[in-house]
Amino acid sequence: MAIAVYPGSFDPFTYGHLDIAIRAAKMFETVHVVVVHNPNKKPRFSAVQRVEMIREILDNEKGNFIVNSFDTGLLVDYCKTVNADALVKGIRTNVDLDYELPMAQVNRDLSGIETVFIPADPVHGFVSSSLVKQVADLGGDISKYVPESVARKLRG
Ligand code: PNS
């Protein structure tokens, strides 16, 4: 039974993230979508809020999803705890690849776990959580980029 971990800040979860989660669920029997604390980022939403938002979204999708958060220690330790076979990451551009490749290599070096890169659908190629927050803060239409439940929370 293949288990994947799809980690990220997900602040907030976009349609790009949703697409990767759904496609991962077609390849893996269980997909853990894990909100991970990134010390380099100051989140808009708490980990509890992000987990709740993602659960609500994935409840309506086909696939065996488990949504959790994780804020201490190594991601590979979480992977070991849940017996994960692979990590999943979405790749939009070469910038993502430059950022993700060393993480994939160190995670494999630390634990043997492989990372599966899923190329983003070009439709979502420019969608990022930070851009979505900026557009929302400046009063722009974000309905194409995030599910309605997320858009409502971003609008306050
Ligand atoms: O969505 P993000 O912020 O780009 O996700 C990055 C994240 C949180 C997945 C990455 O920073 C991470 O894996 N953090 C966990 C701590 C860890 O294990 N670090 C060492 C290997 S990368």
Side-chain angles (χ1 to χ4, degrees):
M1 198 170 95
I3 300 171
V5 169
Y6 176 33
S9 297
F10 304 130
D11 185 51
F13 201 71
T14 66
Y15 277 133
H17 296 133
L18 179 59
D19 182 53
I20 299 295
I22 290 170
R23 288 162 64 196
K26 289 180 182 157
M27 292 187 281
F28 295 93
E29 279 165 75
T30 304
V31 177
H32 288 253
V33 179
V34 186
V35 173
V36 182
H37 173 67
N38 184 339
N40 301 320
K41 293 181 181 172
K42 196 174 168 287
R44 172 80 51 104
F45 297 104
S46 72
V48 171
Q49 284 176 310
R50 282 176 273 164
V51 166
E52 271 174 14
M53 284 192 267
I54 298 168
R55 278 194 187 136
E56 192 185 326
I57 294 160
L58 292 179
D59 269 355
N60 299 314
E61 301 295 337
K62 234 174 104 184
N64 186 24
F65 298 106
I66 295 172
V67 186
N68 269 328
S69 67
F70 176 74
D71 62 3
T72 46
L74 291 168
L75 181 61
V76 293
D77 290 337
Y78 178 90
C79 292
K80 274 183 208 155
T81 312
V82 301
N83 280 321
D85 299 289
L87 279 158
V88 163
K89 295 285 184 88
I91 300 290
R92 290 163 298 187
T93 63
N94 58 326
V95 177
D96 279 348
L97 190 61
D98 284 349
Y99 172 65
E100 295 294 348
L101 187 60
M103 291 202 278
Q105 287 166 326
V106 78
N107 285 329
R108 178 165 172 265
D109 198 47
L110 289 169
S111 68
I113 193 152
E114 297 285 4
T115 297
V116 174
F117 290 137
I118 300 182
D121 187 317
V123 166
H124 307 298
F126 62 91
V127 178
S128 70
S129 298
S130 49
L131 266 183
V132 167
K133 281 181 281 197
Q134 203 179 108
V135 173
D137 289 349
L138 297 172
D141 178 10
I142 50 166
S143 59
K144 278 188 292 185
Y145 312 139
V146 290
E148 179 49 32
S149 55
V150 173
R152 247 182 287 120
K153 294 218 166 53
L154 272 172
R155 286 187 212 111

